[in-house]
Amino acid sequence: MYQSQMLINGVQVSSLSGKVEIIRNPANQEPVAEVTVGSRQDACLALEAARRAFPIWSLTSRQERAKILHAAADLVRHRAEQIARLLTLEQGKPLKNAKMEVLSSADVLDFYAEEGKRDFGEWISSSHSRSIVLRQPVGVAALITPWNFPVDLLAWKVGPCLAAGCTFVAKPPSLAPLAATEFVRAVSDAGLPAGAANVVHGAGGEVGAELVENPISRKIAFTGETETGRWIMAHAAAHIKRVSLELGGQSPFIVCADADVKAAAAAAAQRAFSNMGQICISVNRIYVAEEVAEPFIEALVKRAERFKIGDGLQPDVDLGPMFSGAQREKTREHVADALEKGAALLSGGQEPEGEDYEKGYFFRPTVLGEADHSMRVMREETFGPVAPIMKFKTLEEAIHLANDTEYGLAAYVFTNDLKTALCAAEGLEAGGIGINVNNVVDLQAPFGGWKESGLGRELGHYGLEAYLETKHIRLGM
Ligand code: NAD
């Protein structure tokens, strides 16, 4: 069986306690790997290693750092097949999607290799002085990530962290640590000083909590649930640490009367069901103008029924299993709650039938009509393949409904009218607005949430700034 260890001070190690856990494939519950499980003491060792490496890495020139980051990107590409296979085995997503995730993580490293060179600072002249404004790395960063995109979301942090001159301890999700650990190993193998990149495994409440509470870490970059983010923010306050939080979402998708209905249905289906709806920017609620509701719903149901579901290692599979029994149970509960409150089941609503699906956490893409805001599926983050639909009369009403949530990560609008697009984009309360697109992620642009969906921004030059402190040097003349 595949063995996964931690990476501390450039060396692969077991935990001090020797504890291990078995990771199982969500497609069939077969054992996939044995993973070392760390504790608070292991987290401390990793933080100390990162602290020792910080003066070396932060004083390495930007050009040299860029060379190493490009080499890391190449090594990740070279090992992409192996990392992607581990990702499918532990997380369930189809192999083609796993490979895309790993390759896009390499692109993130290349992007920040160059972005790190562009942090120029400022020179300000006053009558009796000159001011130099420098940007310097924050210090040791704790990078804590979830299981839905365990490689890519870690790369969003590793790239800018290293480009800025920070060192880090990463804590991948406990139930899907394999591919993320291999990703960091590839980055470390590209020529980083020992201790600049560390990985510790273990429970969030123990290993993650140590990374947050220990004064060695000066910056916490977290992606995960809003509740965990709230805990992290409160505990990081003890040492006034820098925090970036990418949290939960409940993203609305508005289809206006003048939209290209077929394109909107295809986009909604893809964003509601890919990765089995386990995406923070998934389409969670669809608001459709009454005039086009019928053709839109018909097209969406057709799309939902076209996906090929199966073990992610099989060729041509579009959707794998859900990540865990708990995720599937929550999805079932949300669907049952909606049906009890009057929703209409238009497609899916249960696991697919057949021997191939008996042991895995499979669930059919589900479309619900007649949804309203009394239903959990319209208010909570289901994190499952469910698309509930509600009709609206006016754009103002749609925007009001879309904003009626504590979340504010992404929102989508399909319209062919420029004024409608701009009014909606300005009125929606979210960090990313997709107009006639179903994705608000662009490596070069800021990504993050409003309201309880997060704090700070990743990607683009914003992502780099999150790892830099500002220093003002005043020269008397
Ligand atoms: P989670 O919050 O349960 O766990 C995320 C990570 O935090 C894991 O590594 C976990 O071990 C760790 N953790 C848990 N408790 C901790 C603590 N007290 N201190 C430190 N670390 C702790 O989230 P999850 O279930 O793995 O991921 C799903 C969630 O992530 C969803 O809510 C989803 O919306 C969100 N998410 C957000 C984004 C975004 O960019 N906004 C992207 C992907 C996922």
Side-chain angles (χ1 to χ4, degrees), residues 187-399:
V187 171
S188 175
D189 289 350
L192 284 177
N198 305 274
V199 184
V200 284
H201 298 156
E206 192 179 351
V207 170
E210 181 64 32
L211 297 181
V212 172
E213 291 171 330
N214 190 308
I216 294 178
S217 62
R218 293 300 324 153
K219 153 97 195 169
I220 316 295
F222 170 78
T223 302
E225 285 188 23
T226 295
E227 270 323 297
T228 318
R230 215 185 300 283
W231 187 94
I232 288 176
M233 195 170 168
H235 288 75
H239 297 284
I240 318 288
K241 295 187 185 189
R242 276 58 190 140
V243 285
S244 318
L245 304 172
E246 298 288 358
L247 309 176
Q250 231 290 3
S251 307
F253 187 102
I254 299 174
V255 185
C256 298
D258 59 31
D260 176 338
V261 168
K262 279 201 172 149
Q270 203 247 349
R271 187 51 64 217
F273 304 130
S274 65
N275 211 33
M276 291 302 278
Q278 302 164 129
I279 309 184
C280 53
I281 55 165
S282 266
V283 169
N284 301 103
R285 300 171 279 150
I286 299 174
Y287 301 102
V288 58
E290 276 180 347
E291 300 91 314
V292 290
E294 205 183 307
F296 173 81
I297 292 172
E298 196 185 320
L300 182 69
V301 168
K302 260 194 202 148
R303 288 267 168 187
E305 291 178 351
R306 211 188 275 173
F307 289 104
K308 188 169 174 209
I309 307 172
D311 182 330
L313 287 184
Q314 284 170 10
D316 302 330
V317 160
D318 300 310
L319 301 175
M322 297 194 70
F323 176 62
S324 66
Q327 277 310 125
R328 186 170 65 173
E329 202 39 49
K330 184 175 175 197
T331 304
R332 276 203 195 110
E333 281 169 18
H334 279 201
V335 171
D337 169 81
L339 295 179
E340 249 168 51
K341 290 174 179 158
L345 182 61
L346 304 177
S347 187
Q350 61 196 35
E351 41 275 52
E353 285 168 13
E355 216 181 303
D356 289 351
Y357 304 114
E358 273 169 14
K359 292 193 184 144
Y361 306 121
F362 295 97
F363 201 78
R364 283 176 54 203
T366 299
V367 182
L368 300 173
E370 309 299 331
D372 66 47
H373 278 216
S374 71
M375 300 169 187
R376 292 178 69 190
V377 80
M378 298 293 277
R379 309 203 65 89
E380 299 173 29
E381 190 183 36
T382 307
F383 230 50
V386 185
I389 307 170
M390 183 170 176
K391 294 175 198 155
F392 68 83
K393 285 190 172 54
T394 64
L395 183 66
E396 291 68 34
E397 183 194 355
I399 293 174

Side-chain angles (χ1 to χ4, degrees), residues 6 15-17 19 36-45 200-203 206-208 210-211:
M6 304 189 291
S15 63
L16 293 172
S17 71
K19 193 173 159 201
T36 291
V37 180
S39 64
R40 278 187 180 261
Q41 287 93 319
D42 297 291
C44 285
L45 290 179
V200 284
H201 298 156
E206 192 179 351
V207 170
E210 181 64 32
L211 297 181

